[in-house]
Amino acid sequence: DVRYTPANDSVVSVEIGDGEMKASVVATEPGAGGADPTAEYLRGVLQSHGVVHGIRDEVLAEFETAPRYNRPVVAAEGTRARDGADARIAYQFKRDREGIPLKEKDGRVDFKDISRIENVVAGQLLARKVPAEAGEAGMTVTGTVIPAKPGRDAEIQIGKNVRLSEDGLTAASEINGQVLVLAGRISVEPIYTISGDVNLHTGNVLFLGTVVVRGSVEDEFSVKAAGNIEVYGSVGKCTLDAEGDIIVHQGIAAKSEGSVRCGGSVYSKFIQHARVQAGENVIVTDGIIHSQVDANRTILCQGRRAQIVGGRLRASEEINSKILGSVAGTETVLEVGYDPKSKERLAQLETERHAVEKSLEEVERNIRTLENLQRMQRKLPPEKAQYLVEQSEQRGVLLGRLEAATRETGEITTYLMSLTSIGKISASERVFPGVRLAIKNANLAVRSEFKFVTFFLQGGEVRVTKYESFNEDLMRRR
């Protein structure tokens, strides 16, 4: 039986290092009758050496049960300061438009629908600032506080058409357009410029501002804009759709496909085999050939080679060209004196009324047959009685549709008759046979050549007078 000898107890020393971020204990092996240090004793030794922070209780407990002699055991660790994260700008739009996922159509990638434009609308959030963090202070094992570095601040840098909030934490667009980050600044451009052609490289274009194409728009592609579209080259069998004006410097040759539509005016060198709709005017210098053109105001074709040949042109106020028709007598239909959209709706209503009246005749015939059968047999078989009920219900539906179509037809007719711009058709040089004119509801088929004339409506008939010039301000683009 070994007697406890305090003089032979394990001797514990403390080493503080790593800039006071670590404290280690080193214990000697006890002699005969000597005791190992307890966790509580080790804690006391550490504290007596000024170690007050980061003491590892689990290490002390483990040392008590399984002591390790004559080598340092890390018993306390300081807490390192955590510097604050820098402020950062979280962009609310895709900055890299090259990494756009390709869309498949029928198993094939449709390159036309690749868009490299990031459209935004007025008021849309573009960026949010995530503020810098203060960081967390650290502490050495001896209790000295280690200050943390706060994160560096950053500001949202803005360019044109972007508004910064008063607290500087958010940026929003002031207009519809294309958002760009140039030299670190967020800008919104109301104009999207394509330096070359609209083709597979650009894909179809959809933009909430004005689009300028320095080249041409190739076949099968589309350009749609909330502002204007200006094309310095030519336009093929494409779709152009603008809320504002469409300007084509070289001309539109649509090969009887595609369409050009705008809420303002169309300005083009020529229009050939195309469908064109303008909310205001269509202004052309070199000719409108075999095209369907609708303008809610005026169609002007005036220039050295200005000629309207073939197709059908409709304008509410005026059609004015240097030459109408051709020597070959090509059928050219010109209609003025009404709103083309209303006239088109009238034609749709007429078709609808005709179809309803035809269906109504058939339903009436079926009802008469069944009623005659009922009189003869006194009582119809169940399936025929049910059919009579269905046909009577159908008659009610058809009568309702006929009444609605008749009412709308009357409203549009009244509106068209009330239009103050009765309309006129003019040729500053000549009109060839083959031209068919319509002013409101009066028609005239031109059978002999006219020179320097204006056709107008008088007493319900198309009359002719000497040429009346057009408003030259219309030829100037706004």
Side-chain angles (χ1 to χ4, degrees):
D1 187 24
V2 178
R3 288 180 62 194
Y4 170 57
T5 310
N8 287 344
D9 282 355
S10 173
V11 177
V12 177
S13 60
V14 174
E15 296 175 357
I16 296 173
D18 191 16
E20 297 192 0
M21 292 302 285
K22 275 186 187 170
S24 301
V25 290
V26 182
T28 61
E29 191 173 349
D36 286 318
T38 63
E40 196 57 43
Y41 178 77
L42 289 171
R43 176 181 285 279
V45 172
L46 284 165
Q47 287 173 346
S48 69
H49 282 78
V51 177
V52 293
H53 175 75
I55 295 172
R56 300 169 67 189
D57 291 331
E58 74 282 1
V59 170
L60 303 185
E62 187 185 335
F63 196 100
E64 184 177 316
T65 56
R68 288 176 284 169
Y69 303 118
N70 302 317
R71 57 194 176 104
V73 175
V74 177
E77 282 185 307
T79 304
R80 297 200 178 273
R82 187 181 69 78
D83 290 343
D86 293 342
R88 63 187 176 84
I89 309 303
Y91 294 97
Q92 307 297 300
F93 56 90
K94 292 190 187 81
R95 292 186 64 186
D96 178 17
R97 298 298 291 171
E98 294 300 318
I100 300 160
L102 298 176
K103 294 184 224 165
E104 286 197 4
K105 220 180 250 182
D106 303 326
R108 291 187 303 176
V109 173
D110 185 3
F111 289 98
K112 290 207 286 293
D113 281 333
I114 298 169
S115 174
R116 290 188 174 84
I117 305 168
E118 184 73 12
N119 278 307
V120 293
V121 295
Q124 184 172 331
L125 181 69
L126 302 179
R128 189 169 46 79
K129 175 179 166 178
V130 180
E133 293 176 359
E136 290 176 11
M139 186 173 278
T140 67
V141 292
T142 56
T144 303
V145 174
I146 305 166
K149 286 183 189 171
R152 286 175 301 183
D153 195 19
E155 291 181 358
I156 301 174
Q157 301 290 324
I158 62 167
K160 291 186 294 184
N161 304 313
V162 177
R163 184 179 65 256
L164 199 60
S165 62
E166 281 186 27
D167 58 12
L169 294 179
T170 59
S173 177
E174 291 184 316
I175 61 168
N176 293 350
Q178 177 192 17
V179 62
L180 302 162
V181 180
L182 301 169
R185 290 181 180 276
I186 306 167
S187 295
V188 178
E189 292 290 343
I191 297 175
Y192 175 57
T193 302
I194 296 159
S195 56
D197 298 338
V198 173
N199 52 24
L200 275 176
H201 177 68
T202 63
N204 292 331
V205 177
L206 170 64
F207 183 53
L208 295 176
T210 286
V211 176
V212 175
V213 181
R214 295 285 174 189
S216 298
V217 183
E218 292 188 2
D219 289 353
E220 311 295 345
F221 286 90
S222 71
V223 178
K224 296 180 181 179
N228 299 340
I229 296 172
E230 183 160 9
V231 181
Y232 279 77
S234 59
V235 169
K237 54 175 181 178
C238 331
T239 300
L240 261 60
D241 197 330
E243 294 299 314
D245 295 338
I246 292 177
I247 302 119
V248 183
H249 289 246
Q250 292 304 316
I252 301 163
K255 302 165 192 169
S256 301
E257 292 182 47
S259 68
V260 173
R261 191 210 70 80
C262 73
S265 297
V266 173
Y267 301 88
S268 182
K269 192 174 184 182
F270 63 82
I271 296 172
Q272 193 170 314
H273 295 284
R275 288 201 310 276
V276 176
Q277 275 185 299
E280 292 183 7
N281 308 301
V282 174
I283 313 295
V284 175
T285 56
D286 280 15
I288 301 174
I289 318 296
H290 295 289
S291 295
Q292 310 289 315
V293 180
D294 285 350
N296 271 8
R297 288 191 59 203
T298 301
I299 297 171
L300 281 184
C301 186
Q302 288 291 340
R304 203 159 46 85
R305 292 177 293 183
Q307 186 172 11
I308 294 174
V309 184
R312 188 188 70 182
L313 282 71
R314 302 185 298 184
S316 124
E317 294 176 14
E318 180 179 6
I319 296 173
N320 194 314
S321 177
K322 195 171 185 180
I323 296 170
L324 298 174
S326 69
V327 181
T330 309
E331 183 179 75
T332 306
V333 180
L334 310 173
E335 303 174 8
V336 294
Y338 55 82
D339 164 9
K341 284 183 183 170
S342 296
K343 194 71 184 272
E344 201 161 287
R345 179 62 183 150
L346 265 187
Q348 288 172 355
L349 287 167
E350 190 56 41
T351 305
E352 188 179 329
R353 282 175 60 190
H354 183 70
V356 169
E357 283 168 355
K358 200 172 176 186
S359 299
L360 201 53
E361 278 177 23
E362 191 179 332
V363 167
E364 296 277 16
R365 198 162 44 246
N366 290 341
I367 290 171
R368 279 198 303 274
T369 304
L370 289 164
E371 284 175 344
N372 288 337
L373 192 63
Q374 192 174 34
R375 273 195 294 274
M376 287 166 63
Q377 297 183 354
R378 295 199 178 173
K379 191 179 179 185
L380 287 172
E383 69 276 6
K384 282 197 164 53
Q386 178 61 31
Y387 187 53
L388 178 57
V389 169
E390 288 170 4
Q391 288 292 287
S392 298
E393 287 173 357
Q394 180 68 5
R395 177 171 61 182
V397 170
L398 289 169
L399 285 169
R401 281 175 58 191
L402 188 62
E403 187 187 342
T406 304
R407 187 172 59 251
E408 193 180 346
T409 299
E411 287 167 0
I412 293 173
T413 304
T414 304
Y415 160 69
L416 291 175
M417 292 309 290
S418 72
L419 285 178
T420 52
S421 56
I422 292 173
K424 58 182 180 177
I425 298 168
S426 302
S428 59
E429 275 199 8
R430 61 183 64 194
V431 183
F432 287 105
V435 172
R436 282 176 33 216
L437 311 174
I439 302 178
K440 280 206 174 178
N441 295 321
N443 299 289
L444 174 68
V446 176
R447 292 195 168 81
S448 59
E449 193 176 310
F450 288 90
K451 289 183 180 178
F452 318 115
V453 290
T454 289
F455 297 93
F456 66 102
L457 187 68
Q458 189 177 63
E461 289 185 7
V462 177
R463 305 282 188 184
V464 65
T465 186
K466 66 176 184 177
Y467 174 72
E468 293 177 6
S469 187
F470 56 92
N471 177 1
E472 292 195 7
D473 286 345
L474 292 175
M475 295 296 284
R476 299 186 193 96
R477 289 210 306 269
R478 288 194 295 274

